[in-house]
Amino acid sequence: MNYNIFFQKAIDQLHTEKRYRVFSDLERIAGAFPRAIRRDGEIAREITVWCSNDYLGMGQHADVINALRHAADTMGAGAGGTRNISGTHHYLVELEKELADLHNKEAGLVFTSGFISNEASISTIAQLLPNCLILSDAFNHASIIEGIRRSGAKKKIFRHNDLIHLEHLLKTAGHARAKLIVFESVYSMDGDIAPTAAIADLAKKYNAMTYIDEVHAVGMYGPRGGGITDRDNLTHCIDIIEGTLAKAYGALGGYITGSKSVIDAVRSYSPGFIFTTALPPAIAASAIAAIRHLKKSQMERIMQQRQTQKTKDILIQAGLPIIPSETHIVPILISDPDLCKKATDHLLEKHDIYIQPINYPTVPRGTERLRITPTPFHNDALIEILKDALLETWHALDIPFTNKKQSTLVETNHFVALTVSQAGG
């Protein structure tokens, strides 16, 4: 039997559906962000990146780089193994203290990625709760969906940000049953925000635990960068706050914060934590530096919000099909996977602008888009260049300048598609 045939057929299917992913060879330039070098064979040239999750440019901050360099010089490159085998290096101890303080929680636990922190934590928590029912927002990220699936717990999907639907499911479950409400603060594809306070009120009313994913909000919102729960003074209302070190903090890793008993239980029972090599000292040190800086500094957040609003205003005025967003996410609707990929290629080849296409399964079919994330370093001149490049691309590829009715359809299609995707498991 030629086993490779099966794998090639799977790849061919992706090509047929116009959703085969191509990764660009990019070399970020510290001190010149958002500039990067794109390598294509022997050819190398500078481009501008408009879709980085390094939302505040902290990956190039002097304090962050110096902390990383010092830790590598004093402790070496790797962690030496799992924390169970090799112990917990001191930078991780300090990092978990910083994270617990950031979210006003008793304890924190660091994982090697945000995906793992969700998958490992949700599955473990739900397994430890007797007859647990998980109530999951329809727009939740793949890592949350995988954590729910691995838990083996019963689940119900509530319509995105729909409090009436959520309350109905809570009421139907009964007051005595263990329940875990899982949702995100900022939804990264559309850029909208969860009604966090209202969800917390429902959880209290119906005796449910709450688990919020703040990965696209930590560092970005709140007086100390603790996310939407920090901005709205809600940290005390949420049982478990999950976040990432790989986006606004410019490093790598994921984490959860909560009560000592919850954190210790996940630490003690989660295979995804127990059997994974610890975050390297240099990475942990760089994350500490970023968190400490953004607990005190407002400049990065202020400038980021300014440049985001300016980008939205200019692109909307130009007539481009921007999906309304109340956060730093700026989605541009294309609604066709082939055109979405062609737009990315055209922007890169003709304008030296890199914006990765967002296609199914990241978003439902028919809602394909470009996802722009302005940073404090995308100045006014770069915004004007982006606008002109997008307009030229839209005309060159004959991409529709969609109207408001089409933007409204995104909400409906997104719920239907994600409800189906979460239905089994």
Side-chain angles (χ1 to χ4, degrees):
M1 180 183 293
N2 184 353
Y3 288 100
N4 282 328
I5 292 175
F6 300 100
F7 300 109
Q8 190 57 52
K9 282 183 178 179
I11 295 300
D12 292 343
Q13 182 64 29
L14 293 178
H15 282 290
T16 300
E17 296 177 4
K18 307 296 184 182
R19 60 186 185 94
Y20 179 76
R21 297 171 188 252
V22 177
F23 298 152
S24 293
D25 183 352
L26 303 183
E27 181 180 323
R28 303 208 311 165
I29 307 171
F33 182 78
R35 301 293 289 171
I37 296 172
R38 182 207 177 199
R39 300 190 182 279
D40 185 9
E42 298 299 318
I43 301 173
R45 70 176 195 267
E46 279 199 20
I47 62 167
T48 302
V49 177
W50 271 97
C51 56
S52 174
N53 283 345
D54 189 358
Y55 294 138
L56 301 176
M58 291 301 293
Q60 66 169 8
H61 195 280
D63 291 351
V64 174
I65 294 175
N66 288 337
L68 183 145
R69 183 182 294 116
H70 175 74
D73 286 341
T74 57
M75 294 186 66
T82 67
R83 292 165 74 170
N84 183 54
I85 297 295
S86 300
T88 297
H89 60 75
H90 186 64
Y91 285 113
L92 269 179
V93 174
E94 291 299 308
L95 177 56
E96 287 173 347
K97 288 180 180 177
E98 287 291 338
L99 292 167
D101 172 75
L102 176 66
H103 296 297
N104 295 310
K105 297 298 182 186
E106 292 178 346
L109 191 66
V110 170
F111 299 79
T112 51
S113 76
F115 191 102
I116 295 297
S117 63
N118 269 335
E119 179 190 56
S121 300
I122 292 169
S123 60
T124 301
I125 290 166
Q127 286 170 0
L128 293 175
L129 291 172
N131 191 29
C132 179
L133 174 67
I134 299 177
L135 300 118
S136 176
D137 187 285
F139 279 29
N140 276 340
H141 185 265
S143 59
I144 293 176
I145 296 170
E146 185 61 17
I148 294 170
R149 188 190 68 80
R150 289 180 64 84
S151 75
K154 296 291 184 181
K155 70 175 184 297
K156 295 289 184 181
I157 311 303
F158 62 93
R159 289 184 291 271
H160 177 55
N161 284 348
D162 189 328
L163 296 170
I164 295 174
H165 191 206
L166 174 58
E167 182 165 19
H168 169 73
L169 295 175
L170 287 165
K171 187 182 297 184
T172 302
H175 192 271
R177 186 175 187 180
K179 298 174 290 297
L180 180 67
I181 304 173
V182 185
F183 63 107
E184 301 180 37
S185 61
V186 172
Y187 290 87
S188 64
M189 288 301 111
D190 289 343
D192 56 337
I193 296 175
T196 306
I199 291 175
D201 288 343
L202 287 176
K204 184 177 180 180
K205 180 178 178 181
Y206 292 99
N207 189 33
M209 285 188 71
T210 47
Y211 181 110
I212 191 170
D213 176 320
E214 287 257 41
V215 297
H216 291 279
V218 290
M220 303 292 292
Y221 301 96
R224 299 199 310 153
I228 298 301
T229 48
D230 182 26
R231 185 195 72 177
D232 296 345
N233 194 28
L234 295 170
T235 55
H236 63 288
C237 300
I238 302 296
D239 295 300
I240 302 143
I241 298 176
E242 185 265 352
T244 185
L245 307 168
K247 293 181 171 60
Y249 293 123
L252 179 71
Y255 65 87
I256 59 169
T257 61
S259 69
K260 288 181 180 179
S261 59
V262 168
I263 299 304
D264 200 20
V266 174
R267 181 191 70 86
S268 301
Y269 281 91
S270 170
F273 175 81
I274 295 170
F275 298 106
T276 299
T277 297
L279 209 63
I283 299 299
S286 67
I288 292 170
I291 293 166
R292 287 175 177 169
H293 177 81
L294 291 174
K295 280 181 177 178
K296 298 176 181 178
S297 176
Q298 300 298 323
M299 179 185 67
E300 290 82 4
R301 286 187 279 274
I302 291 170
M303 286 301 298
Q304 195 278 334
Q305 289 167 13
R306 178 193 182 277
Q307 296 312 104
T308 295
Q309 191 58 54
K310 192 170 187 69
T311 302
K312 290 178 181 179
D313 291 343
I314 287 176
L315 298 187
I316 289 170
Q317 289 168 9
L320 288 157
I322 305 300
I323 300 174
S325 161
E326 53 188 317
T327 61
H328 56 284
I329 309 296
V330 185
I332 309 180
L333 187 65
I334 294 181
S335 301
D336 180 275
D338 193 31
L339 282 178
C340 204
K341 179 64 169 62
K342 286 179 178 177
T344 287
D345 293 342
H346 187 85
L347 285 164
L348 190 56
E349 297 301 328
K350 185 175 179 62
H351 299 285
D352 291 333
I353 288 175
Y354 177 69
I355 309 174
Q356 181 70 2
I358 306 294
N359 291 335
Y360 178 84
T362 305
V363 295
R365 290 183 175 90
T367 69
E368 294 81 7
R369 67 198 62 183
L370 301 182
R371 176 182 174 272
I372 294 171
T373 52
T375 74
F377 300 94
H378 288 90
N379 59 34
D380 293 359
L382 287 177
I383 296 173
E384 289 292 338
I385 292 170
L386 173 67
K387 177 204 69 176
D388 292 340
L390 287 169
L391 286 174
E392 190 279 332
T393 300
W394 250 246
H395 288 298
L397 300 179
D398 197 24
I399 302 173
F401 286 76
T402 52
N403 56 41
K404 292 181 180 179
K405 287 184 179 180
Q406 287 172 297
S407 294
T408 303
L409 286 175
V410 173
E411 291 282 337
T412 304
N413 291 339
H414 205 168
F415 169 66
V416 171
L418 286 180
T419 300
V420 170
S421 74
Q422 297 191 51

